[in-house]
PDB file of all heavy atoms in Angstrom:
ATOM      1  N   GLY A   1       2.506  21.419  -4.685  1.00 95.00           N
ATOM      2  CA  GLY A   1       1.069  21.582  -4.455  1.00 95.00           C
ATOM      3  C   GLY A   1       0.211  20.833  -5.453  1.00 95.00           C
ATOM      4  O   GLY A   1       0.443  19.655  -5.736  1.00 95.00           O
ATOM      5  N   PHE A   2      -0.783  21.536  -6.000  1.00 94.00           N
ATOM      6  CA  PHE A   2      -1.736  20.904  -6.907  1.00 94.00           C
ATOM      7  C   PHE A   2      -1.058  20.382  -8.171  1.00 94.00           C
ATOM      8  O   PHE A   2      -1.399  19.311  -8.667  1.00 94.00           O
ATOM      9  CB  PHE A   2      -2.855  21.896  -7.266  1.00 94.00           C
ATOM     10  CG  PHE A   2      -3.976  21.255  -8.026  1.00 94.00           C
ATOM     11  CD1 PHE A   2      -4.909  20.464  -7.375  1.00 94.00           C
ATOM     12  CD2 PHE A   2      -4.098  21.436  -9.388  1.00 94.00           C
ATOM     13  CE1 PHE A   2      -5.942  19.860  -8.075  1.00 94.00           C
ATOM     14  CE2 PHE A   2      -5.122  20.848 -10.097  1.00 94.00           C
ATOM     15  CZ  PHE A   2      -6.053  20.053  -9.435  1.00 94.00           C
ATOM     16  N   HIS A   3      -0.081  21.108  -8.686  1.00 94.00           N
ATOM     17  CA  HIS A   3       0.666  20.663  -9.865  1.00 94.00           C
ATOM     18  C   HIS A   3       1.311  19.302  -9.588  1.00 94.00           C
ATOM     19  O   HIS A   3       1.227  18.373 -10.411  1.00 94.00           O
ATOM     20  CB  HIS A   3       1.707  21.720 -10.226  1.00 94.00           C
ATOM     21  CG  HIS A   3       2.521  21.432 -11.438  1.00 94.00           C
ATOM     22  ND1 HIS A   3       3.583  22.215 -11.804  1.00 94.00           N
ATOM     23  CD2 HIS A   3       2.471  20.462 -12.371  1.00 94.00           C
ATOM     24  CE1 HIS A   3       4.133  21.742 -12.902  1.00 94.00           C
ATOM     25  NE2 HIS A   3       3.474  20.671 -13.265  1.00 94.00           N
ATOM     26  N   ALA A   4       1.935  19.150  -8.423  1.00 97.00           N
ATOM     27  CA  ALA A   4       2.562  17.876  -8.057  1.00 97.00           C
ATOM     28  C   ALA A   4       1.514  16.770  -7.955  1.00 97.00           C
ATOM     29  O   ALA A   4       1.749  15.634  -8.372  1.00 97.00           O
ATOM     30  CB  ALA A   4       3.318  18.019  -6.735  1.00 97.00           C
ATOM     31  N   ARG A   5       0.342  17.099  -7.398  1.00 97.00           N
ATOM     32  CA  ARG A   5      -0.743  16.119  -7.269  1.00 97.00           C
ATOM     33  C   ARG A   5      -1.184  15.623  -8.647  1.00 97.00           C
ATOM     34  O   ARG A   5      -1.346  14.416  -8.873  1.00 97.00           O
ATOM     35  CB  ARG A   5      -1.927  16.740  -6.521  1.00 97.00           C
ATOM     36  CG  ARG A   5      -3.146  15.825  -6.393  1.00 97.00           C
ATOM     37  CD  ARG A   5      -4.205  16.429  -5.497  1.00 97.00           C
ATOM     38  NE  ARG A   5      -3.695  16.561  -4.134  1.00 97.00           N
ATOM     39  CZ  ARG A   5      -3.655  15.556  -3.261  1.00 97.00           C
ATOM     40  NH1 ARG A   5      -4.102  14.364  -3.587  1.00 97.00           N
ATOM     41  NH2 ARG A   5      -3.163  15.750  -2.051  1.00 97.00           N
ATOM     42  N   VAL A   6      -1.371  16.537  -9.586  1.00 95.00           N
ATOM     43  CA  VAL A   6      -1.832  16.164 -10.926  1.00 95.00           C
ATOM     44  C   VAL A   6      -0.800  15.285 -11.629  1.00 95.00           C
ATOM     45  O   VAL A   6      -1.150  14.277 -12.254  1.00 95.00           O
ATOM     46  CB  VAL A   6      -2.161  17.419 -11.758  1.00 95.00           C
ATOM     47  CG1 VAL A   6      -2.402  17.068 -13.214  1.00 95.00           C
ATOM     48  CG2 VAL A   6      -3.373  18.142 -11.174  1.00 95.00           C
ATOM     49  N   VAL A   7       0.470  15.651 -11.525  1.00 97.00           N
ATOM     50  CA  VAL A   7       1.523  14.851 -12.169  1.00 97.00           C
ATOM     51  C   VAL A   7       1.518  13.427 -11.609  1.00 97.00           C
ATOM     52  O   VAL A   7       1.582  12.445 -12.364  1.00 97.00           O
ATOM     53  CB  VAL A   7       2.907  15.524 -12.003  1.00 97.00           C
ATOM     54  CG1 VAL A   7       4.028  14.581 -12.446  1.00 97.00           C
ATOM     55  CG2 VAL A   7       2.959  16.835 -12.785  1.00 97.00           C
ATOM     56  N   GLN A   8       1.416  13.277 -10.296  1.00 98.00           N
ATOM     57  CA  GLN A   8       1.399  11.940  -9.688  1.00 98.00           C
ATOM     58  C   GLN A   8       0.173  11.151 -10.148  1.00 98.00           C
ATOM     59  O   GLN A   8       0.273   9.960 -10.474  1.00 98.00           O
ATOM     60  CB  GLN A   8       1.412  12.052  -8.164  1.00 98.00           C
ATOM     61  CG  GLN A   8       2.738  12.567  -7.620  1.00 98.00           C
ATOM     62  CD  GLN A   8       2.642  12.930  -6.164  1.00 98.00           C
ATOM     63  OE1 GLN A   8       2.731  12.049  -5.307  1.00 98.00           O
ATOM     64  NE2 GLN A   8       2.452  14.209  -5.866  1.00 98.00           N
ATOM     65  N   HIS A   9      -0.987  11.817 -10.170  1.00 97.00           N
ATOM     66  CA  HIS A   9      -2.237  11.163 -10.584  1.00 97.00           C
ATOM     67  C   HIS A   9      -2.099  10.639 -12.016  1.00 97.00           C
ATOM     68  O   HIS A   9      -2.431   9.485 -12.302  1.00 97.00           O
ATOM     69  CB  HIS A   9      -3.392  12.166 -10.473  1.00 97.00           C
ATOM     70  CG  HIS A   9      -4.706  11.652 -10.940  1.00 97.00           C
ATOM     71  ND1 HIS A   9      -5.724  11.323 -10.069  1.00 97.00           N
ATOM     72  CD2 HIS A   9      -5.191  11.407 -12.180  1.00 97.00           C
ATOM     73  CE1 HIS A   9      -6.762  10.900 -10.762  1.00 97.00           C
ATOM     74  NE2 HIS A   9      -6.463  10.944 -12.052  1.00 97.00           N
ATOM     75  N   GLU A  10      -1.623  11.499 -12.922  1.00 96.00           N
ATOM     76  CA  GLU A  10      -1.530  11.100 -14.328  1.00 96.00           C
ATOM     77  C   GLU A  10      -0.454  10.044 -14.554  1.00 96.00           C
ATOM     78  O   GLU A  10      -0.650   9.112 -15.340  1.00 96.00           O
ATOM     79  CB  GLU A  10      -1.294  12.325 -15.214  1.00 96.00           C
ATOM     80  CG  GLU A  10      -2.446  13.321 -15.194  1.00 96.00           C
ATOM     81  CD  GLU A  10      -3.801  12.722 -15.565  1.00 96.00           C
ATOM     82  OE1 GLU A  10      -3.852  11.766 -16.366  1.00 96.00           O
ATOM     83  OE2 GLU A  10      -4.820  13.215 -15.042  1.00 96.00           O
ATOM     84  N   CYS A  11       0.667  10.148 -13.868  1.00 97.00           N
ATOM     85  CA  CYS A  11       1.712   9.124 -14.008  1.00 97.00           C
ATOM     86  C   CYS A  11       1.248   7.783 -13.450  1.00 97.00           C
ATOM     87  O   CYS A  11       1.633   6.723 -13.967  1.00 97.00           O
ATOM     88  CB  CYS A  11       3.010   9.582 -13.355  1.00 97.00           C
ATOM     89  SG  CYS A  11       3.862  10.865 -14.308  1.00 97.00           S
ATOM     90  N   ASP A  12       0.404   7.803 -12.416  1.00 98.00           N
ATOM     91  CA  ASP A  12      -0.169   6.553 -11.914  1.00 98.00           C
ATOM     92  C   ASP A  12      -0.924   5.813 -13.021  1.00 98.00           C
ATOM     93  O   ASP A  12      -0.873   4.588 -13.112  1.00 98.00           O
ATOM     94  CB  ASP A  12      -1.115   6.813 -10.739  1.00 98.00           C
ATOM     95  CG  ASP A  12      -0.415   6.861  -9.401  1.00 98.00           C
ATOM     96  OD1 ASP A  12       0.799   6.556  -9.334  1.00 98.00           O
ATOM     97  OD2 ASP A  12      -1.085   7.194  -8.403  1.00 98.00           O
ATOM     98  N   HIS A  13      -1.627   6.558 -13.870  1.00 97.00           N
ATOM     99  CA  HIS A  13      -2.355   5.918 -14.971  1.00 97.00           C
ATOM    100  C   HIS A  13      -1.404   5.123 -15.864  1.00 97.00           C
ATOM    101  O   HIS A  13      -1.766   4.037 -16.351  1.00 97.00           O
ATOM    102  CB  HIS A  13      -3.092   6.956 -15.819  1.00 97.00           C
ATOM    103  CG  HIS A  13      -4.369   7.446 -15.213  1.00 97.00           C
ATOM    104  ND1 HIS A  13      -5.478   6.643 -15.064  1.00 97.00           N
ATOM    105  CD2 HIS A  13      -4.707   8.663 -14.722  1.00 97.00           C
ATOM    106  CE1 HIS A  13      -6.446   7.346 -14.502  1.00 97.00           C
ATOM    107  NE2 HIS A  13      -6.007   8.571 -14.282  1.00 97.00           N
ATOM    108  N   LEU A  14      -0.212   5.637 -16.084  1.00 96.00           N
ATOM    109  CA  LEU A  14       0.761   4.934 -16.928  1.00 96.00           C
ATOM    110  C   LEU A  14       1.183   3.603 -16.316  1.00 96.00           C
ATOM    111  O   LEU A  14       1.590   2.686 -17.035  1.00 96.00           O
ATOM    112  CB  LEU A  14       1.996   5.812 -17.154  1.00 96.00           C
ATOM    113  CG  LEU A  14       1.744   7.127 -17.884  1.00 96.00           C
ATOM    114  CD1 LEU A  14       3.031   7.944 -17.944  1.00 96.00           C
ATOM    115  CD2 LEU A  14       1.184   6.883 -19.276  1.00 96.00           C
ATOM    116  N   ASP A  15       1.075   3.517 -14.988  1.00 96.00           N
ATOM    117  CA  ASP A  15       1.419   2.280 -14.279  1.00 96.00           C
ATOM    118  C   ASP A  15       0.189   1.428 -13.969  1.00 96.00           C
ATOM    119  O   ASP A  15       0.279   0.450 -13.230  1.00 96.00           O
ATOM    120  CB  ASP A  15       2.146   2.616 -12.974  1.00 96.00           C
ATOM    121  CG  ASP A  15       3.494   3.268 -13.219  1.00 96.00           C
ATOM    122  OD1 ASP A  15       4.142   2.937 -14.228  1.00 96.00           O
ATOM    123  OD2 ASP A  15       3.900   4.121 -12.401  1.00 96.00           O
ATOM    124  N   GLY A  16      -0.971   1.836 -14.492  1.00 97.00           N
ATOM    125  CA  GLY A  16      -2.197   1.065 -14.266  1.00 97.00           C
ATOM    126  C   GLY A  16      -2.774   1.236 -12.870  1.00 97.00           C
ATOM    127  O   GLY A  16      -3.504   0.362 -12.385  1.00 97.00           O
ATOM    128  N   VAL A  17      -2.460   2.330 -12.205  1.00 98.00           N
ATOM    129  CA  VAL A  17      -2.927   2.580 -10.845  1.00 98.00           C
ATOM    130  C   VAL A  17      -3.978   3.681 -10.876  1.00 98.00           C
ATOM    131  O   VAL A  17      -3.756   4.727 -11.486  1.00 98.00           O
ATOM    132  CB  VAL A  17      -1.751   2.999  -9.930  1.00 98.00           C
ATOM    133  CG1 VAL A  17      -2.242   3.356  -8.535  1.00 98.00           C
ATOM    134  CG2 VAL A  17      -0.711   1.884  -9.868  1.00 98.00           C
ATOM    135  N   LEU A  18      -5.120   3.444 -10.231  1.00 98.00           N
ATOM    136  CA  LEU A  18      -6.170   4.448 -10.101  1.00 98.00           C
ATOM    137  C   LEU A  18      -6.169   4.987  -8.679  1.00 98.00           C
ATOM    138  O   LEU A  18      -5.763   4.305  -7.736  1.00 98.00           O
ATOM    139  CB  LEU A  18      -7.535   3.854 -10.446  1.00 98.00           C
ATOM    140  CG  LEU A  18      -7.686   3.350 -11.882  1.00 98.00           C
ATOM    141  CD1 LEU A  18      -9.044   2.699 -12.079  1.00 98.00           C
ATOM    142  CD2 LEU A  18      -7.476   4.482 -12.881  1.00 98.00           C
ATOM    143  N   TYR A  19      -6.652   6.220  -8.518  1.00 98.00           N
ATOM    144  CA  TYR A  19      -6.543   6.894  -7.219  1.00 98.00           C
ATOM    145  C   TYR A  19      -7.119   6.110  -6.042  1.00 98.00           C
ATOM    146  O   TYR A  19      -6.564   6.192  -4.942  1.00 98.00           O
ATOM    147  CB  TYR A  19      -7.127   8.319  -7.275  1.00 98.00           C
ATOM    148  CG  TYR A  19      -8.620   8.390  -7.267  1.00 98.00           C
ATOM    149  CD1 TYR A  19      -9.335   8.405  -6.073  1.00 98.00           C
ATOM    150  CD2 TYR A  19      -9.329   8.434  -8.455  1.00 98.00           C
ATOM    151  CE1 TYR A  19     -10.719   8.467  -6.077  1.00 98.00           C
ATOM    152  CE2 TYR A  19     -10.710   8.495  -8.456  1.00 98.00           C
ATOM    153  CZ  TYR A  19     -11.403   8.510  -7.271  1.00 98.00           C
ATOM    154  OH  TYR A  19     -12.767   8.552  -7.274  1.00 98.00           O
ATOM    155  N   PRO A  20      -8.209   5.311  -6.190  1.00 98.00           N
ATOM    156  CA  PRO A  20      -8.667   4.560  -5.003  1.00 98.00           C
ATOM    157  C   PRO A  20      -7.598   3.610  -4.450  1.00 98.00           C
ATOM    158  O   PRO A  20      -7.574   3.329  -3.254  1.00 98.00           O
ATOM    159  CB  PRO A  20      -9.887   3.795  -5.505  1.00 98.00           C
ATOM    160  CG  PRO A  20     -10.407   4.633  -6.636  1.00 98.00           C
ATOM    161  CD  PRO A  20      -9.151   5.158  -7.302  1.00 98.00           C
ATOM    162  N   GLN A  21      -6.701   3.151  -5.316  1.00 98.00           N
ATOM    163  CA  GLN A  21      -5.639   2.263  -4.861  1.00 98.00           C
ATOM    164  C   GLN A  21      -4.591   2.998  -4.025  1.00 98.00           C
ATOM    165  O   GLN A  21      -3.819   2.364  -3.305  1.00 98.00           O
ATOM    166  CB  GLN A  21      -4.976   1.599  -6.073  1.00 98.00           C
ATOM    167  CG  GLN A  21      -5.918   0.666  -6.809  1.00 98.00           C
ATOM    168  CD  GLN A  21      -5.365   0.256  -8.149  1.00 98.00           C
ATOM    169  OE1 GLN A  21      -5.503   0.974  -9.125  1.00 98.00           O
ATOM    170  NE2 GLN A  21      -4.712  -0.900  -8.177  1.00 98.00           N
ATOM    171  N   ARG A  22      -4.562   4.315  -4.092  1.00 98.00           N
ATOM    172  CA  ARG A  22      -3.638   5.131  -3.308  1.00 98.00           C
ATOM    173  C   ARG A  22      -4.263   5.624  -2.007  1.00 98.00           C
ATOM    174  O   ARG A  22      -3.573   6.143  -1.141  1.00 98.00           O
ATOM    175  CB  ARG A  22      -3.183   6.351  -4.110  1.00 98.00           C
ATOM    176  CG  ARG A  22      -2.372   6.029  -5.331  1.00 98.00           C
ATOM    177  CD  ARG A  22      -0.951   5.755  -4.960  1.00 98.00           C
ATOM    178  NE  ARG A  22      -0.143   5.590  -6.172  1.00 98.00           N
ATOM    179  CZ  ARG A  22       0.931   4.846  -6.223  1.00 98.00           C
ATOM    180  NH1 ARG A  22       1.351   4.222  -5.151  1.00 98.00           N
ATOM    181  NH2 ARG A  22       1.604   4.742  -7.337  1.00 98.00           N
ATOM    182  N   MET A  23      -5.573   5.475  -1.876  1.00 98.00           N
ATOM    183  CA  MET A  23      -6.262   5.977  -0.687  1.00 98.00           C
ATOM    184  C   MET A  23      -5.881   5.155   0.539  1.00 98.00           C
ATOM    185  O   MET A  23      -5.808   3.934   0.469  1.00 98.00           O
ATOM    186  CB  MET A  23      -7.781   5.941  -0.900  1.00 98.00           C
ATOM    187  CG  MET A  23      -8.263   6.907  -1.971  1.00 98.00           C
ATOM    188  SD  MET A  23     -10.027   6.762  -2.313  1.00 98.00           S
ATOM    189  CE  MET A  23     -10.705   7.235  -0.724  1.00 98.00           C
ATOM    190  N   THR A  24      -5.640   5.837   1.646  1.00 97.00           N
ATOM    191  CA  THR A  24      -5.317   5.147   2.892  1.00 97.00           C
ATOM    192  C   THR A  24      -6.553   4.952   3.757  1.00 97.00           C
ATOM    193  O   THR A  24      -6.525   4.172   4.705  1.00 97.00           O
ATOM    194  CB  THR A  24      -4.260   5.940   3.688  1.00 97.00           C
ATOM    195  OG1 THR A  24      -4.726   7.276   3.878  1.00 97.00           O
ATOM    196  CG2 THR A  24      -2.927   5.957   2.952  1.00 97.00           C
ATOM    197  N   ASP A  25      -7.637   5.657   3.435  1.00 96.00           N
ATOM    198  CA  ASP A  25      -8.897   5.542   4.180  1.00 96.00           C
ATOM    199  C   ASP A  25     -10.046   5.522   3.179  1.00 96.00           C
ATOM    200  O   ASP A  25     -10.493   6.565   2.713  1.00 96.00           O
ATOM    201  CB  ASP A  25      -9.048   6.713   5.146  1.00 96.00           C
ATOM    202  CG  ASP A  25     -10.334   6.651   5.958  1.00 96.00           C
ATOM    203  OD1 ASP A  25     -11.093   5.661   5.817  1.00 96.00           O
ATOM    204  OD2 ASP A  25     -10.584   7.603   6.719  1.00 96.00           O
ATOM    205  N   LEU A  26     -10.491   4.330   2.833  1.00 96.00           N
ATOM    206  CA  LEU A  26     -11.545   4.198   1.826  1.00 96.00           C
ATOM    207  C   LEU A  26     -12.901   4.721   2.302  1.00 96.00           C
ATOM    208  O   LEU A  26     -13.818   4.853   1.503  1.00 96.00           O
ATOM    209  CB  LEU A  26     -11.668   2.747   1.364  1.00 96.00           C
ATOM    210  CG  LEU A  26     -10.522   2.269   0.475  1.00 96.00           C
ATOM    211  CD1 LEU A  26     -10.641   0.771   0.195  1.00 96.00           C
ATOM    212  CD2 LEU A  26     -10.481   3.048  -0.824  1.00 96.00           C
ATOM    213  N   SER A  27     -13.021   5.077   3.578  1.00 96.00           N
ATOM    214  CA  SER A  27     -14.293   5.632   4.047  1.00 96.00           C
ATOM    215  C   SER A  27     -14.544   7.021   3.453  1.00 96.00           C
ATOM    216  O   SER A  27     -15.672   7.512   3.477  1.00 96.00           O
ATOM    217  CB  SER A  27     -14.350   5.690   5.573  1.00 96.00           C
ATOM    218  OG  SER A  27     -13.465   6.672   6.073  1.00 96.00           O
ATOM    219  N   SER A  28     -13.503   7.665   2.891  1.00 94.00           N
ATOM    220  CA  SER A  28     -13.707   8.973   2.257  1.00 94.00           C
ATOM    221  C   SER A  28     -14.130   8.842   0.792  1.00 94.00           C
ATOM    222  O   SER A  28     -14.472   9.836   0.167  1.00 94.00           O
ATOM    223  CB  SER A  28     -12.444   9.840   2.356  1.00 94.00           C
ATOM    224  OG  SER A  28     -11.456   9.410   1.453  1.00 94.00           O
ATOM    225  N   LEU A  29     -14.111   7.632   0.245  1.00 96.00           N
ATOM    226  CA  LEU A  29     -14.572   7.432  -1.128  1.00 96.00           C
ATOM    227  C   LEU A  29     -16.071   7.670  -1.158  1.00 96.00           C
ATOM    228  O   LEU A  29     -16.826   7.019  -0.438  1.00 96.00           O
ATOM    229  CB  LEU A  29     -14.248   6.011  -1.610  1.00 96.00           C
ATOM    230  CG  LEU A  29     -14.537   5.714  -3.075  1.00 96.00           C
ATOM    231  CD1 LEU A  29     -13.679   6.584  -3.986  1.00 96.00           C
ATOM    232  CD2 LEU A  29     -14.273   4.236  -3.365  1.00 96.00           C
ATOM    233  N   THR A  30     -16.495   8.622  -1.964  1.00 95.00           N
ATOM    234  CA  THR A  30     -17.901   9.024  -1.949  1.00 95.00           C
ATOM    235  C   THR A  30     -18.354   9.464  -3.330  1.00 95.00           C
ATOM    236  O   THR A  30     -17.540   9.697  -4.223  1.00 95.00           O
ATOM    237  CB  THR A  30     -18.112  10.156  -0.914  1.00 95.00           C
ATOM    238  OG1 THR A  30     -19.488  10.411  -0.761  1.00 95.00           O
ATOM    239  CG2 THR A  30     -17.398  11.433  -1.344  1.00 95.00           C
ATOM    240  N   PHE A  31     -19.657   9.570  -3.493  1.00 96.00           N
ATOM    241  CA  PHE A  31     -20.215  10.080  -4.735  1.00 96.00           C
ATOM    242  C   PHE A  31     -19.975  11.580  -4.805  1.00 96.00           C
ATOM    243  O   PHE A  31     -20.158  12.291  -3.812  1.00 96.00           O
ATOM    244  CB  PHE A  31     -21.712   9.782  -4.825  1.00 96.00           C
ATOM    245  CG  PHE A  31     -22.024   8.325  -4.971  1.00 96.00           C
ATOM    246  CD1 PHE A  31     -22.490   7.585  -3.890  1.00 96.00           C
ATOM    247  CD2 PHE A  31     -21.831   7.673  -6.175  1.00 96.00           C
ATOM    248  CE1 PHE A  31     -22.771   6.242  -4.009  1.00 96.00           C
ATOM    249  CE2 PHE A  31     -22.109   6.321  -6.321  1.00 96.00           C
ATOM    250  CZ  PHE A  31     -22.580   5.599  -5.233  1.00 96.00           C
ATOM    251  N   THR A  32     -19.587  12.078  -5.978  1.00 92.00           N
ATOM    252  CA  THR A  32     -19.333  13.508  -6.122  1.00 92.00           C
ATOM    253  C   THR A  32     -20.588  14.321  -5.820  1.00 92.00           C
ATOM    254  O   THR A  32     -20.497  15.432  -5.293  1.00 92.00           O
ATOM    255  CB  THR A  32     -18.810  13.856  -7.524  1.00 92.00           C
ATOM    256  OG1 THR A  32     -19.706  13.326  -8.509  1.00 92.00           O
ATOM    257  CG2 THR A  32     -17.419  13.284  -7.743  1.00 92.00           C
ATOM    258  N   SER A  33     -21.750  13.773  -6.089  1.00 91.00           N
ATOM    259  CA  SER A  33     -22.994  14.493  -5.792  1.00 91.00           C
ATOM    260  C   SER A  33     -23.173  14.674  -4.289  1.00 91.00           C
ATOM    261  O   SER A  33     -23.749  15.664  -3.844  1.00 91.00           O
ATOM    262  CB  SER A  33     -24.194  13.755  -6.377  1.00 91.00           C
ATOM    263  OG  SER A  33     -24.274  12.438  -5.843  1.00 91.00           O
ATOM    264  N   GLU A  34     -22.664  13.744  -3.496  1.00 89.00           N
ATOM    265  CA  GLU A  34     -22.758  13.859  -2.040  1.00 89.00           C
ATOM    266  C   GLU A  34     -21.795  14.930  -1.517  1.00 89.00           C
ATOM    267  O   GLU A  34     -22.102  15.624  -0.559  1.00 89.00           O
ATOM    268  CB  GLU A  34     -22.448  12.519  -1.367  1.00 89.00           C
ATOM    269  CG  GLU A  34     -23.486  11.449  -1.649  1.00 89.00           C
ATOM    270  CD  GLU A  34     -24.866  11.820  -1.139  1.00 89.00           C
ATOM    271  OE1 GLU A  34     -24.968  12.363  -0.019  1.00 89.00           O
ATOM    272  OE2 GLU A  34     -25.842  11.580  -1.857  1.00 89.00           O
ATOM    273  N   ILE A  35     -20.632  15.064  -2.138  1.00 82.00           N
ATOM    274  CA  ILE A  35     -19.685  16.096  -1.716  1.00 82.00           C
ATOM    275  C   ILE A  35     -20.299  17.460  -1.960  1.00 82.00           C
ATOM    276  O   ILE A  35     -20.269  18.332  -1.105  1.00 82.00           O
ATOM    277  CB  ILE A  35     -18.346  15.971  -2.477  1.00 82.00           C
ATOM    278  CG1 ILE A  35     -17.667  14.661  -2.140  1.00 82.00           C
ATOM    279  CG2 ILE A  35     -17.426  17.144  -2.129  1.00 82.00           C
ATOM    280  CD1 ILE A  35     -16.469  14.360  -3.001  1.00 82.00           C
TER     281      ILE A  35
END
């Protein structure tokens, strides 16, 4: 669950990968204030 998500997110940083690079649908990329 969420624990697995956090581990993947943080390990991606070690490989120089940011979460937008993992997104399959960039139309969901939005401002946090809009969410």
Side-chain angles (χ1 to χ4, degrees):
F2 189 76
H3 182 187
R5 177 173 296 279
V6 170
V7 170
Q8 291 169 82
H9 177 107
E10 296 305 329
C11 287
D12 273 353
H13 282 292
L14 298 176
D15 294 327
V17 176
L18 298 176
Y19 76 87
Q21 294 168 277
R22 295 279 186 209
M23 293 175 63
T24 54
D25 180 3
L26 288 173
S27 70
S28 75
L29 186 63
T30 188
F31 292 103
T32 53
S33 59
E34 293 299 318
I35 296 171

